[in-house]
Amino acid sequence: MMDYEAAADLLDFIEKSPTAFQAVEEVRQRLLWEGFTELSEKERWELRRGGNYFVTRNHSALIAFSIPEADIYQFHIIASHSDSPTFKIKENPEMLVENAYVKLNVEKYGGMLLAPWFDRPLSVAGRVIVRENGTLKEKLVCVDRDLLVIPNLAIHMNREVNSGYSYNIQKDLLPLYGGVEAKDSFFGLIAKAAGVNQEDILGHDLFLYNRDKGSVWGAQSEFVSAPRLDDLQCAFASLCGFLNGQRKESIAVYCVLDNEEVGSSTKQGAASTFLKDTLLRLNGSLGRSYEEYLMTLAGSFMISADNAHAMHPNYVEKADPVNRPVINQGIVIKYNANQKYCTDGVSAAYFKQLCEKAEAPYQTFVNRSDVAGGSTLGNISNTQAAMNTVDIGLPQLSMHSAFETAGVKDTWYLLKAAEEFYC
Ligand code: ZN
């Protein structure tokens, strides 16, 4: 595989992953294809050396790992996230407007740029929980056609709009679903797409997704644009590196966690016990003590992989005066004195050495000192399973837009670095 093939495969991965549920399902399918054994958190684990396993939680987070034959006391972990900012369908979503239209009631999931969600085809995906023979079953659902649009108000009716507009989510962002005849049809349509009876649907987690196809573009086809690059680009590149790697010199662990966009404090997020529980069970099934678990953590390393801001061509002043990541110039190491990013001198040095071995260039990101930045997985995850950690990401533009832009080469660089890390 080369960088352009990796970019094409990335776009395919993103297209199959309209929400965190489908992203995890896509990773699950690829792991099954590679011969990994699926574990259930509800059952006893009997693991063997040389085995390859994975476990999911909530069907929106996944941890895969490979146990080397040799007796090794070290985890090598890469963690990314499965979710992206979007809109969640509320309960009783249909709203009849003047007996003329049906629109849907939605609320915001995460913090996004709102304007890009207008005037483009959208649809709905996620999961439904259905009654089946006296038990509750989860079914993934994706309405695979253009179904909704959030229409803008014409310039003629708001002449000042281009001088700045303050959006009201409850008023401005409700998607148009149909004419008056569409009333009471939404859950019938969802049931049909899920292959279930409408009356059996007792619960749902449904989200809007952008129907726009990803694209490789630019003078030398150097850019890649798609929905949800943050953080599916890292989830994808680290997965490819994990599968390509030898996975012999450490206990290789691949994580994709949910709910990063809303603070990670859920049972399947980075603040949860999911990683810690999985590592403890892995440790126990090798016949090791808790002390040996702590010894292993002390010798372990985590790469927290979540996309980074590239210097913007129209807003260079928004970047730090000297630490200015550029698209296609390599993996971004993120620094923050207040430890929103947990990179320190030690973990940065380790990661730079890894990149050099992998022949993957790296660059550095620090927020301007007068701007508060975001946070990510690493420092949150460390409160549950603490180890030496570096925060990195791939440089991108338009973070949290409905259509984001990154670099063809950078996906490849992370893939190579991950492969080296999982040696
Ligand atoms: Zn992210």
Side-chain angles (χ1 to χ4, degrees), residues 241-271:
F242 177 69
L243 293 173
N244 289 355
Q246 295 293 311
R247 290 172 268 138
K248 287 207 163 73
E249 292 179 21
S250 66
I251 301 173
V253 183
Y254 167 84
C255 305
V256 54
L257 302 168
D258 194 9
N259 303 126
E260 193 279 336
E261 300 297 356
V262 293
S264 296
S265 303
T266 60
K267 66 185 184 299
Q268 58 278 350

Side-chain angles (χ1 to χ4, degrees), residues 81 83 85 229-231 260-261 305-307 334 375-377 396 399-400:
H81 66 89
D83 62 322
L229 281 173
D230 171 15
D231 189 27
E260 193 279 336
E261 300 297 356
D306 192 4
N307 269 3
K334 307 188 208 174
S375 86
T376 178
L377 303 153
Q396 71 159 97
M399 191 179 285
H400 294 191

Side-chain angles (χ1 to χ4, degrees), residues 145-365:
R145 69 177 177 90
D146 298 347
L147 182 70
L148 306 163
V149 165
I150 305 170
N152 249 309
L153 181 65
I155 184 86
H156 317 79
M157 296 175 190
N158 184 4
R159 295 276 182 197
E160 299 306 310
V161 67
N162 290 333
S163 315
Y165 182 77
S166 175
Y167 293 102
N168 178 318
I169 311 275
Q170 187 61 65
K171 176 167 177 62
D172 298 320
L173 273 296
L174 304 187
L176 178 61
Y177 165 62
V180 64
E181 306 78 15
K183 200 175 169 303
D184 298 325
S185 69
F186 180 70
F187 279 105
L189 187 143
I190 294 296
K192 193 164 172 233
V196 301
N197 293 321
Q198 187 182 343
E199 56 275 17
D200 292 332
I201 298 179
L202 292 182
H204 59 87
D205 296 294
L206 298 170
F207 297 90
L208 303 190
Y209 75 95
N210 177 11
R211 294 277 298 165
D212 284 341
K213 297 241 180 291
S215 149
V216 172
W217 59 279
Q220 297 184 308
S221 298
E222 59 269 70
F223 300 117
V224 56
S225 292
R228 305 179 294 283
L229 281 173
D230 171 15
D231 189 27
L232 295 183
Q233 190 182 17
C234 286
F236 169 82
S238 54
L239 177 64
C240 296
F242 177 69
L243 293 173
N244 289 355
Q246 295 293 311
R247 290 172 268 138
K248 287 207 163 73
E249 292 179 21
S250 66
I251 301 173
V253 183
Y254 167 84
C255 305
V256 54
L257 302 168
D258 194 9
N259 303 126
E260 193 279 336
E261 300 297 356
V262 293
S264 296
S265 303
T266 60
K267 66 185 184 299
Q268 58 278 350
S272 78
T273 57
F274 186 31
L275 177 62
K276 177 185 172 185
D277 294 346
T278 304
L279 298 180
L280 273 170
R281 292 178 75 165
L282 198 174
N283 182 74
S285 80
L286 293 174
R288 294 182 182 171
S289 66
Y290 187 69
E291 182 174 27
E292 287 173 305
Y293 169 72
L294 298 178
M295 285 161 52
T296 309
L297 281 192
S300 293
F301 196 85
M302 179 190 259
I303 297 174
S304 159
D306 192 4
N307 269 3
H309 300 294
M311 180 178 68
H312 194 294
N314 297 342
Y315 306 93
V316 293
E317 72 282 4
K318 292 287 183 186
D320 179 76
V322 285
N323 298 284
R324 304 183 147 204
V326 174
I327 287 180
N328 285 319
Q329 291 190 14
I331 303 168
V332 178
I333 307 174
K334 307 188 208 174
Y335 297 79
N336 177 255
N338 297 314
Q339 293 292 292
K340 292 264 199 245
Y341 303 132
C342 42
T343 310
D344 58 17
V346 176
S347 62
Y350 176 91
F351 188 74
K352 288 178 184 174
Q353 202 174 42
L354 177 78
C355 286
E356 280 161 18
K357 262 197 232 166
E359 294 178 11
Y362 57 82
Q363 37 191 343
T364 53
F365 174 85

